[in-house]
Amino acid sequence: MMAPTLDAIPPVRSGRRGRPRLRPDQLHADKAYDARVRRQECRARGITPRIARRGIERSDKLGRHRWVVERSHAWFNRARRLPVRYERRADIYEAFTFLQASLITLRQIQRFC
């Protein structure tokens, strides 16, 4: 499913004048995507793959930072109602999601101020 996902990426808007790039310059991925075929799919589309290697546990390479998306999902999963959806109505679930996002933002503001 990586190739169709790469093909579905909308044009990247960089703020510069001229024709927008069709694809990003690099792809960062975790060890689950470590296969020669995945790297070839990226290179065929002109994307430089930065994929962590299996069996390498070095802290100075790609896996050093916790990815922003994984961290954000973990923050949202702190609210017990969000990982397992109990509400039948989408508007109530969306309200709980907004509430959790505002609590996350408040914690971050308190942390830095």
Side-chain angles (χ1 to χ4, degrees), residues 25-84:
D25 292 332
Q26 292 184 350
L27 170 80
H28 293 263
D30 60 2
K31 293 179 184 182
Y33 295 97
D34 183 29
R36 181 175 289 149
V37 177
R38 303 294 160 250
R39 293 175 193 279
Q40 290 172 351
E41 288 173 351
C42 290
R43 288 190 186 106
R45 289 164 177 79
I47 300 172
T48 304
R50 292 208 15 110
I51 302 173
R53 303 266 182 194
R54 291 183 192 213
I56 298 176
E57 295 293 332
R58 295 184 49 173
S59 63
D60 60 340
K61 291 294 180 185
L62 190 63
R64 173 179 50 189
H65 301 289
R66 183 140 189 221
W67 299 105
V68 175
V69 174
E70 293 174 5
R71 180 191 66 198
S72 302
H73 283 292
W75 287 345
F76 274 98
N77 287 341
R78 285 185 198 163
R80 293 183 182 176
R81 296 184 87 138
L82 293 178
V84 179

